[in-house]
């Protein structure tokens, strides 16, 4: 995957960084037996994925190649 630049985008780095911070927060509060802090960390972890997805939708993620775009089209005989 080194040639495909998989994960080498601003959206990927931002989403993963936020998620890792969330997991660390959740882990720390789990050890301290604080359920509210644990769930706050879990929400932060999910938020990282949402932020990464939004950033990718804004164009900060990996750009699709012409081949990937062509494969998502309907077959020629599938008109409605």
């Amino acid at each position: 995957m080194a040639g495909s630049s998989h994960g080498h985008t601003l959206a990927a780095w931002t989403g993963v960084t936020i998620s890792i911070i969330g997991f660390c927060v959740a882990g720390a509060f789990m050890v301290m037996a604080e359920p509210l802090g644990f769930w706050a960390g879990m929400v932060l972890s999910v938020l990282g994925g949402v932020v990464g997805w939004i950033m990718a939708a804004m164009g900060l993620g990996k750009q699709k190649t012409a081949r990937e775009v062509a494969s998502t089209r309907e077959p020629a005989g599938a008109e409605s």
Side-chain angles (χ1 to χ4, degrees):
M1 291 201 174
S4 67
S5 73
H6 177 75
H8 298 278
T9 64
L10 186 60
W13 279 100
T14 304
V16 168
T17 301
I18 293 171
S19 294
I20 287 174
I21 291 170
F23 278 116
C24 290
V25 167
F29 279 103
M30 184 172 62
V31 170
M32 292 187 283
E34 294 290 334
L36 186 61
F38 167 77
W39 287 112
M42 294 306 294
V43 167
L44 194 59
S45 297
V46 172
L47 184 67
V50 172
V51 167
W53 179 71
I54 290 171
M55 289 178 71
M58 290 172 42
L60 298 172
K62 182 181 176 206
Q63 301 300 319
K64 291 187 176 185
T65 63
R67 184 176 180 177
E68 291 172 341
V69 172
S71 67
T72 59
R73 294 184 185 151
E74 294 289 327
E79 296 180 17
S80 54

